[in-house]
Every structure is written in structure tokens, then in C-alpha cells.
């Protein structure tokens, strides 16, 4: 339920930056470890203690560890692309690709053994692995010092420590949930287009402006849904167009994509995480320097965990979005793995840890839809976003702040050679396919 005291009506511009394939612990688990996993205001934080571990498959344990940002290859951790998709996720959570019915509570003890099985597969399929990578590297997690931009915004505004991907699988189904509240039963990336309505069409119907921006190419999202693929050109652009809009007049809802190439800034493993730090920094500074900043809410999130380690069992009790029959027999009643989500607005108190009550529905990607729907009194797209909680209550300040939590922060740069630099990324291939099918313009 939306609080009667919410300040959501003060927000005129929602901006969503959705990055790729990183878990919460992997990126933000150490955010408040040195403060006893409590924020400066005393709020509890579901982070790492540093004592977490996974069976290594040889009778021993592989402990979680802090990634040293000064070590060559640090920003290419975990060194290879971990297992993705429904079956690998089940392996990571339950130790088997086919958990029992009813599904037991996840132990999250299969990350090391799944990565061990994945590494030779990556090499066999011609995917490059950072030299020296071992299965235990999946337990490496970044520190606030290694990710000063993401961590600085998480500490300077709000971090959501119980935000889950919508489904326990890979990218495109989760992005479909974020934009449409359903994947229409699809549970892998083989399906690139959907036939359902999206939030973009819903906004259009209610005369609320929106935009989708790629980085240096037309956005992939443009070809995903029928009510966006034929929309007017003014709704689409590249990152430079976003920066120009932020400097003048932002629409009500903006969806941002990273660069999909293996040398891009998506942060997909094992690409350069430091480039993603630069992207986050640039998005934030563009918004903060624009005339709409006081009425803007930026959401930084990741579509799925991408096989990266997290210690929190994903909850069950999810509402199936529709009557679509799920691939692999999945019934859409459990959420995916926890992902990093940071909420940024000058109306948010610094050091906020935002979560909804434990006895309620948790935050997931359809909470994006719910919050936009609450702001403009729009009907839900599916049963999933109808059941989802919004996050308008994170706004607690009646006067916008004028401080900058990133003042003095230096964006990190990577040391070492990107092992995947010669590869064509999966989503780059998807983008090319959609261009060839005339779903996305070539330029």
C-alpha cells in the first residue's frame, strides 16, 4: 500500500538505469559490513559478515572475500561469465537444476560448484576467461572502495537490500517483467520480442511522455513490444540525447540501456565493471546538473544476478502475472536472486536502507511499474505489478537536498586486459538480429 504521506506526487521524472547480471552481495554486500551491517541512522542492512562460504565440491569450503581493486583483473571479476538461466540458477540456489516440488527453501550453496562446471564450458565455446580464474573466484565481492560511485550513491541516498529480480533466470525475461510485468511464459533469452502491452504504451495512452535511450546505438528495448516498436522517433535516442534532455526537459519516464558490447559499460561478467561505474557517474551528474533534478527519482538496478554469489534465499509467494504456461514448467510463484538497487533523489535522506515490511510482497522489478502507476494513477499491466509494492515511501524530505554525495569521488579505472574484448556479446547479437528484422533502426 502507498502511504498517505508519500511525496511521490513531487516526482515528475522517473529515470531507470538497468545494468547487467550482478548480484547484490557481489556489488554491495560489503557496503556496511565495517559498521556492523547498520546504516549511519541505525537501520539494519542485509549485507555480508565476511564469514559466508560455499562448498567447493572437494569436501572443503570457499569463503567469501573482498576483491582488491589494485589487483590486475579486479574489475573483470569473477573472471568468466558464470552460469546463466533457469537451470544454472537452480543449481546455484538448490544444488540441482530440477528442485523438488514444492520447491524447498534455497540454501544458496551451489555457486562455487556451478561455476566450476561452467568454466570449462566457457572455454569450450570460445569464451575467454581471465588468466588464473578458479571456481572460488565466484565468491569475490566488491568493496565500497572498489565501487566508489555505486557505493557512494547507495550511502548518499538509499539502497534496497531486499530487491529481487522478477524471475530466476536470465536477462530478457527479467527486462520484460521490468517493462511489461510479464515474460509471457518465457524463461530464457531465445525470445526477443513479446506481444503484450508495456509501460510505454500505457503512458502513451494517458498522455505522459516517455523515452528510451541506448548508449551509442538505438535501444534494444525498442524492438521488444508492439506498443513501442512503432512509436514516434522522438521517444528514442542515444546517451548524448539523454544528456541533452537532462539539461533541458526530461519526460515523465526514461529507460536507459548501457552499451551492449563486450568492451561496453553494461557490467555483464566478465566485462569491465569500472566502465559501468563511469556510466552511473555520468547519468547521475547529468541529472543532478539539470533543471528537473529536484523532481527526479533515479533507479539504478540490474536485470538479474548473472550467476554471481548472493547469500539471501529468494522468496516465494510471487503472483503469476497471467495464464501463460512457463517454460521448464516454471509457475512464476518465486522470485529471482537479489540484485543491487539504489534509489537516488534529493528528497531521500542520506544513508537510507529501504525495504518493505517482511510480511508483505518484496520489491522486485515490477515495483518500477507499480511506482509509476501510483504516481499517475495508471491501471496495472498484469497481476504481478498489481500485487507489487511501490517505493514512493523512500521519499521523506519536503525540501530537496543540495549536497553531492559524489563530491570528490574519483571514478575507478581497470588494470589488466579485458579477456572478452574480442567477443561479440550475446545482447549485441540480439540487437543485430532485431536490426536485421527491422525491429530497430540501423542507426
Amino acid at each position: 500500500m502507498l502511504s498517505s504521506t508519500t511525496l511521490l506526487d513531487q516526482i515528475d521524472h522517473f529515470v531507470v538505469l538497468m545494468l547487467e547480471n550482478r548480484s547484490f552481495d557481489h556489488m554491495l554486500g560489503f557496503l556496511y559490513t565495517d559498521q556492523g551491517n547498520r546504516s549511519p541512522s541505525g537501520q539494519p542492512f542485509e549485507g555480508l559478515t565476511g564469514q559466508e562460504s560455499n562448498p567447493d565440491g572437494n569436501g572443503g569450503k570457499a569463503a567469501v572475500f573482498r576483491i582488491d581493486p589494485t589487483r590486475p583483473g579486479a574489475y573483470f571479476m569473477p573472471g568468466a561469465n558464470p552460469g546463466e538461466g533457469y537451470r544454472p540458477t537452480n543449481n546455484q540456489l538448490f544444488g540441482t537444476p530440477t528442485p523438488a516440488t514444492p520447491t524447498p527453501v534455497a540454501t544458496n550453496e551451489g555457486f562455487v560448484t556451478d561455476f566450476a562446471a561452467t568454466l570449462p564450458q566457457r572455454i569450450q565455446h570460445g569464451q575467454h576467461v581471465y588468466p588464473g580464474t578458479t571456481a572460488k573466484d565466484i565468491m569475490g565481492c566488491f568493496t565500497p572502495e572498489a565501487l566508489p560511485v555505486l557505493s557512494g550513491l547507495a550511502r548518499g541516498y538509499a539502497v534496497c537490500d531486499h530487491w529481487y529480480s522478477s524471475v530466476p533466470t536470465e536477462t530478457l525475461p527479467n527486462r520484460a517483467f521490468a517493462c511489461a510485468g510479464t515474460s509471457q511464459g518465457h524463461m530464457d533469452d531465445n525470445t526477443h520480442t513479446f506481444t503484450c502491452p508495456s509501460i510505454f504504451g500505457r503512458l502513451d495512452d494517458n498522455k505522459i511522455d516517455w523515452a528510451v535511450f541506448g548508449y551509442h546505438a538505438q535501444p534494444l528495448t525498442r524492438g521488444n513490444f508492439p506498443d513501442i516498436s512503432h512509436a514516434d522517433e522522438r521517444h528514442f535516442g542515444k546517451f548524448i540525447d539523454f544528456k541533452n534532455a537532462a539539461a533541458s526537459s526530461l519526460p515523465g519516464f526514461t529507460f536507459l540501456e548501457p552499451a551492449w558490447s563486450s568492451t561496453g559499460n553494461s557490467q555483464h561478467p566478465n566485462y569491465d565493471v569500472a566502465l559501468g561505474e563511469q556510466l552511473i557517474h555520468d547519468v547521475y551528474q547529468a541529472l543532478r546538473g539539470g533543471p528537473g533534478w529536484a523532481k527526479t527519482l533515479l533507479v539504478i538496478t540490474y536485470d538479474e544476478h548473472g550467476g554471481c554469489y548472493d547469500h539471501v534465499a529468494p522468496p516465494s509467494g510471487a503472483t503469476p502475472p497471467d495464464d501463460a504456461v512457463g517454460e521448464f514448467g516454471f509457475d512464476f510463484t518465486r522470485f529471482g536472486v537479489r540484485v543491487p538497487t539504489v534509489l537516488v533523489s534529493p528528497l531521500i535522506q542520506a544513508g537510507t536502507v529501504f525495504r518493505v515490511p517482511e510480511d508483505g510482497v518484496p520489491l522486485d522489478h515490477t515495483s518500477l511499474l507499480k511506482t509509476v502507476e501510483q504516481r499517475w494513477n495508471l491501471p496495472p499491466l498484469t497481476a504481478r505489478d498489481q500485487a507489487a509494492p511501490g517505493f514512493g515511501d523512500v521519499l521523506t524530505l519536503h525540501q530537496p537536498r543540495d549536497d553531492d554525495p559524489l563530491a570528490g569521488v574519483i571514478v575507478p579505472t581497470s588494470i589488466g586486459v579485458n579477456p572478452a574484448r574480442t567477443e561479440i556479446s550475446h545482447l549485441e547479437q540480439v540487437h543485430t538480429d532485431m536490426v536485421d528484422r527491422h525491429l530497430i533502426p540501423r542507426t
Side-chain angles (χ1 to χ4, degrees):
M1 292 292 291
L2 187 67
S3 168
S4 60
T5 60
T6 183
L7 299 176
L8 196 57
D9 61 355
Q10 300 298 307
I11 299 298
D12 290 338
H13 313 289
F14 287 89
V15 179
V16 177
L17 171 61
M18 180 168 276
L19 296 161
E20 276 282 291
N21 292 43
R22 301 280 174 168
S23 70
F24 187 87
D25 277 344
H26 180 67
M27 300 294 275
L28 291 172
F30 282 121
L31 186 71
Y32 288 126
T33 300
D34 295 342
Q35 293 79 42
N37 279 325
R38 288 194 172 272
S39 73
S41 62
Q43 292 176 293
F45 175 75
E46 190 80 66
L48 294 165
T49 65
Q51 303 302 309
E52 294 82 4
S53 65
N54 253 208
D56 64 7
N58 297 310
K61 292 281 190 177
V64 72
F65 65 92
R66 299 173 185 239
I67 296 172
D68 176 2
T70 66
R71 192 191 80 181
Y75 289 102
F76 304 109
M77 288 287 284
N81 184 13
E84 293 182 56
Y86 180 68
R87 293 181 183 277
T89 299
N90 283 339
N91 261 336
Q92 294 150 15
L93 296 175
F94 305 104
T96 173
T98 53
T101 302
T103 308
V105 176
T107 63
N108 292 42
E109 290 192 338
F111 283 90
V112 175
T113 53
D114 187 73
F115 197 42
T118 299
L119 283 172
Q121 296 173 11
R122 297 306 185 206
I123 296 171
Q124 180 182 358
H125 288 89
Q127 296 184 20
H128 293 84
V129 174
Y130 200 87
T133 297
T134 71
K136 294 181 179 181
D137 285 334
I138 201 66
M139 300 301 290
C141 296
F142 288 100
T143 63
E145 294 74 28
L147 302 180
V149 177
L150 182 64
S151 298
L153 294 175
R155 288 173 166 175
Y157 295 99
V159 60
C160 298
D161 62 344
H162 280 275
W163 182 298
Y164 299 88
S165 54
S166 292
V167 278
T169 190
E170 51 197 329
T171 289
L172 293 179
N174 274 297
R175 286 181 172 266
F177 267 87
C179 295
T182 180
S183 65
Q184 296 187 293
H186 298 292
M187 285 292 290
D188 59 34
D189 282 354
N190 292 331
T191 298
H192 307 162
T193 58
F194 304 87
T195 60
C196 55
S198 73
I199 189 62
F200 309 106
R202 182 73 87 233
L203 290 167
D204 248 355
D205 292 342
N206 289 271
K207 297 180 170 52
I208 299 161
D209 202 12
W210 55 271
V212 184
F213 297 99
Y215 192 73
H216 46 53
Q218 286 294 314
L220 178 67
T221 307
R222 182 171 184 171
N224 288 150
F225 306 99
D227 57 9
I228 184 175
S229 58
H230 300 297
D232 190 274
E233 288 294 324
R234 68 184 180 83
H235 291 294
F236 308 104
K238 303 173 186 178
F239 192 69
I240 185 62
D241 302 306
F242 161 71
K243 291 175 71 174
N244 291 336
S248 56
S249 180
L250 283 167
F253 181 71
T254 299
F255 193 76
L256 298 174
E257 294 181 5
W260 298 122
S261 71
S262 58
T263 56
N265 50 23
S266 71
Q267 297 188 326
H268 189 295
N270 51 350
Y271 309 161
D272 192 344
V273 171
L275 293 180
E277 279 277 281
Q278 184 69 61
L279 174 59
I280 296 168
H281 173 274
D282 292 349
V283 169
Y284 167 71
Q285 294 296 350
L287 294 172
R288 190 176 183 278
W293 173 236
K295 292 182 174 294
T296 296
L297 176 54
L298 167 65
V299 183
I300 303 162
T301 191
Y302 292 72
D303 49 26
E304 49 127 340
H305 78 298
C308 296
Y309 172 72
D310 194 79
H311 79 279
V312 173
S316 57
T319 298
D322 44 41
D323 296 329
V325 177
E327 292 173 335
F328 308 105
F330 186 66
D331 62 4
F332 294 93
T333 60
R334 58 184 170 96
F335 293 93
V337 178
R338 198 170 59 142
V339 292
T341 302
V342 174
L343 307 178
V344 177
S345 168
L347 300 180
I348 295 174
Q349 180 68 47
T352 296
V353 178
F354 185 76
R355 58 173 74 161
V356 295
E358 291 185 12
D359 59 352
V361 178
L363 295 163
D364 83 310
H365 292 330
T366 61
S367 295
L368 297 167
L369 303 174
K370 184 58 168 277
T371 307
V372 171
E373 291 159 1
Q374 289 175 327
R375 169 61 181 88
W376 284 296
N377 195 29
L378 307 177
L381 289 159
T382 71
R384 173 64 71 86
D385 56 301
Q386 183 175 30
F391 47 85
D393 286 343
V394 73
L395 307 167
T396 59
L397 302 179
H398 291 270
Q399 293 295 323
R401 296 161 48 189
D402 59 6
D403 63 306
D404 180 7
L406 293 190
V409 166
I410 298 174
V411 180
T413 55
S414 60
I415 304 171
V417 178
N418 180 346
R421 65 193 181 280
T422 61
E423 296 176 11
I424 298 176
S425 77
H426 167 56
L427 287 180
E428 200 174 15
Q429 292 173 324
V430 171
H431 191 279
T432 299
D433 173 68
M434 296 178 86
V435 168
D436 290 343
R437 294 163 57 193
H438 304 293
L439 296 171
I440 303 173
R442 194 166 294 277
T443 58

